[in-house]
Amino acid sequence: MEPQDALPAGDGADAEALISDAVADIGFLDTMANNLGLVAAFVAAMYVVAAVCAVREVMNSRTSQGSVAWLLSLFFLPYLTVPLYFVFGWRSFSDYAKIQATLGRAERARRADELGLTDHEETRDWPVLTRVAGMPFLAGNTAELLVDGDATFRSIKDAIARARSVIFFQFFTVHDDELGRDMADALIKRAKEGVKVYFLYDDVGSHALPRAFINRLKHAGVSVCGFNEKHRFLKLLGPMRLNYRNHRKLVVTDFTEAFVGGHNVADQYVGRNAWFGHWRDTHVRVQGPAAVACALSFVEDWLWASGEQIAVPQVADIPMPGDEPILVMPTGPADELEECAIAFVEAAARASTRLWITTPYLVPSLDVQTALCAAAMRGVDVRVLLPEKRDHWTVWLASHAYEDTLVQRGVKVYRYSDGFLHQKVTLMDDDLVSIGTVNFDNRSFQINFELTLWFTHQRMIANVETMLTTDFQNAKLTWPDAFQSRSYVFRVLAQGARLLSPIL
């Protein structure tokens, strides 16, 4: 007979598991007790690092709300917050600023004036933009609007084929697909023919780019570098570098011709993705002094990324093939202030009749929201064109929350329905156009390295007006009650995503 107090088989297994867990806990506590010195040292070190981060946040604060949130988290949850602060909070690009000084960025305005390249009238009329850019409007350019991927990459390939001395090729995202290989083939062909080719990509945006793709370029004589390559150790000790990405899309050939805009190098950008379908994007091709200014932006990026300084030809006579003034504005986290946001807030503040904005992501700071709402309230036709389709869930959700805020204050928000919209174009009155890489979000305004070209010539303004008029015809206007008509779960998710706006 079995003893009266015997346990059923299942209960016996549970008891053994409990005893095993208790022994493990005791073993862990015993290990901790025998190493109290190491534990105390770890705790002390963590609080010291948290204190360093706290002091640095106080000394480099940009918004009191964000800084207070960091300080409270560092005090109460240092073990979790310190790693997050290194990724998202630690902002240090003094080394990039030194490169800008080394390459003479502060002297470029004077040099442009000496060479007779400055458009004094436009520079006088747009003092804020020129102060942000650190350069005047440059005269004597030609500009061609490139609508969508086929026109853009066909024009870029033609320029690569024409290059005789040097090609700068820089994109945030490069894929090893049909378009990526097509561009690589074009660059390799020119490199083998003696043209010096530089290929710069962002480590995060091109994280899926295989080593074989890179090696093929290198073996053909192309100079290839990831933006964080020289700073690889910082991926462990200072991963904030990965949060601050190079979002520029730029091609320059022979210092005479440049391409800037929203396209990256991947099949979806030419409409070869079933989910996105038609990919609506815009690039611009410029020739003249503005192309030289674009090249200088690349030279700065290349020096920081690779440690290699590219020799810039010193010429006394830069070709001026056209009649269009253009302002080249590189912005990024090395700026002392949020220069990119200042530029777009200035455009909104000066708008008197219309302000049309196209962007794939709408996650604006409070200052930008205020500028857009103020313009709408004084009677300006403020329109924001966004994609109906999503490519990043969190940003897409947050954009709906911001959309509701703007719509309630008179801003007209449209959702593009003829495919996916990715262009970054702004039209202000009949006076100003911007085309570049800047999205209307905190990441572009505060965190990423970006590049924007500003135009004031009536030819470009008319072309952009025609282009955007068609885009708005292919979009649906958001009604004031659209957000509230969504499900409660959707609204909670959208408002929750909005809380992440500083890092989206």
Side-chain angles (χ1 to χ4, degrees):
M1 294 179 60
E2 295 183 357
Q4 294 294 320
D5 57 349
L7 295 173
D11 291 343
D14 292 341
E16 289 179 4
L18 289 172
I19 293 171
S20 177
D21 290 342
V23 170
D25 291 342
I26 292 172
F28 173 76
L29 293 174
D30 186 57
T31 301
M32 294 285 287
N34 291 330
N35 295 275
L36 287 178
L38 291 176
V39 173
F42 173 78
V43 172
M46 186 59 66
Y47 272 96
V48 168
V49 175
V52 171
C53 293
V55 171
R56 197 179 189 287
E57 180 60 29
V58 170
M59 296 304 295
N60 294 276
S61 173
R62 292 204 173 189
T63 64
S64 58
Q65 301 95 323
S67 294
V68 168
W70 278 120
L71 293 174
L72 290 175
S73 299
L74 286 167
F75 180 79
F76 289 108
L77 295 169
Y79 312 106
L80 175 63
T81 307
V82 165
L84 291 175
Y85 187 81
F86 273 102
V87 175
F88 298 111
W90 193 289
R91 183 189 185 101
S92 177
F93 277 89
S94 57
D95 49 356
Y96 193 96
K98 290 178 182 176
I99 284 174
Q100 293 174 332
T102 299
L103 295 178
R105 178 180 277 207
E107 298 297 316
R108 290 176 189 167
R110 179 185 60 79
R111 180 64 174 159
D113 204 41
E114 290 177 350
L115 294 173
L117 304 177
T118 301
D119 187 304
H120 292 283
E121 182 179 353
E122 298 300 340
T123 299
R124 183 194 65 236
D125 290 345
W126 300 97
V128 174
L129 298 186
T130 55
R131 285 285 299 276
V132 168
M135 281 283 289
F137 270 85
L138 299 173
N141 302 280
T142 64
E144 178 188 3
L145 194 64
L146 299 172
V147 180
D148 289 342
D150 288 339
T152 295
F153 290 104
R154 181 170 57 249
S155 188
I156 289 175
K157 282 188 66 176
D158 289 344
I160 291 173
R162 288 193 297 270
R164 291 296 173 262
S165 59
V166 66
I167 298 169
F168 299 148
F169 192 90
Q170 175 182 14
F171 285 89
F172 175 67
T173 300
V174 180
H175 284 180
D176 183 15
D177 54 18
E178 184 177 348
L179 180 62
R181 290 187 289 273
D182 190 30
M183 288 293 105
D185 290 342
L187 295 174
I188 288 171
K189 182 175 185 296
R190 304 304 290 128
K192 289 182 176 179
E193 293 171 351
V195 176
K196 185 60 179 175
V197 180
Y198 297 87
F199 184 102
L200 181 62
Y201 64 94
D202 184 82
D203 306 73
V204 176
S206 302
H207 66 276
L209 192 63
R211 179 55 55 181
F213 185 98
I214 295 171
N215 288 340
R216 179 168 173 259
L217 289 167
K218 288 183 175 180
H219 291 158
V222 177
S223 297
V224 182
C225 188
F227 190 63
N228 276 290
E229 188 169 307
K230 181 172 176 286
H231 309 269
R232 189 171 298 279
F233 73 98
L234 291 172
K235 293 181 180 179
L236 293 176
L237 301 182
M240 62 281 182
R241 303 288 189 171
L242 296 185
N243 190 39
Y244 297 94
R245 300 159 196 167
N246 197 310
H247 194 242
R248 294 168 181 162
K249 296 97 173 168
L250 171 65
V251 177
V252 182
T253 59
D254 295 341
F255 291 90
T256 61
E257 189 172 9
F259 299 81
V260 177
H263 291 91
N264 284 297
V265 182
D267 280 348
Q268 66 201 54
Y269 290 83
V270 288
R272 296 174 187 157
N273 182 287
W275 162 252
F276 292 113
H278 171 224
W279 188 278
R280 179 67 193 89
D281 218 330
T282 300
H283 243 68
V284 64
R285 169 180 172 262
V286 299
Q287 290 179 292
V292 178
C294 289
L296 294 176
S297 170
F298 181 92
V299 169
E300 289 178 350
D301 284 351
W302 186 265
L303 178 55
W304 190 84
S306 70
E308 175 190 358
Q309 187 164 339
I310 298 173
V312 178
Q314 298 297 316
V315 295
D317 185 20
I318 295 176
M320 301 176 70
D323 60 349
E324 299 191 40
I326 299 175
L327 179 66
V328 178
M329 182 185 291
T331 53
D335 299 338
E336 291 186 9
L337 297 175
E338 292 169 6
E339 310 284 8
C340 187
I342 290 173
F344 283 92
V345 167
E346 164 72 356
R350 291 187 55 169
S352 60
T353 57
R354 68 178 171 190
L355 180 66
W356 294 359
I357 298 165
T358 65
T359 176
Y361 314 119
L362 181 67
V363 190
S365 65
L366 182 59
D367 292 341
V368 175
Q369 293 178 71
T370 301
L372 296 180
C373 292
M377 289 176 178
R378 65 174 181 268
V380 177
D381 177 20
V382 181
R383 303 184 188 182
V384 180
L385 182 61
L386 301 170
E388 178 65 38
K389 289 187 175 181
R390 66 184 183 277
D391 65 336
H392 298 295
W393 264 106
T394 308
V395 180
W396 183 78
L397 285 169
S399 73
H400 281 82
Y402 283 105
E403 170 188 273
D404 182 57
T405 299
L406 296 176
V407 168
Q408 298 304 324
R409 288 156 181 81
V411 176
K412 301 171 186 174
V413 178
Y414 292 77
R415 290 281 175 174
Y416 187 80
S417 54
D418 185 24
F420 184 78
L421 179 128
H422 190 256
Q423 64 176 324
K424 304 95 166 47
V425 178
T426 301
L427 171 63
M428 193 214 84
D429 297 345
D430 291 324
D431 301 326
L432 186 68
V433 159
S434 75
I435 301 174
T437 67
V438 174
N439 299 315
F440 257 70
D441 59 16
N442 288 303
R443 177 163 289 282
S444 280
F445 287 150
Q446 303 174 14
I447 300 175
N448 286 345
F449 291 87
E450 304 284 1
L451 183 61
T452 306
L453 304 189
W454 297 86
F455 304 85
T456 57
H457 197 283
Q458 288 303 306
R459 186 184 306 114
M460 176 60 75
I461 290 170
N463 290 339
V464 168
E465 179 183 27
T466 300
M467 176 184 74
L468 295 186
T469 298
T470 300
D471 290 336
F472 281 113
Q473 290 172 351
N474 291 321
K476 300 175 182 177
L477 180 64
T478 300
W479 297 104
D481 62 347
F483 187 71
Q484 296 304 320
S485 67
R486 296 271 193 170
S487 70
Y488 184 74
V489 172
F490 180 89
R491 284 180 282 149
V492 169
L493 291 174
Q495 293 290 0
R498 182 173 182 166
L499 297 178
L500 301 175
S501 61
I503 59 173
L504 291 179

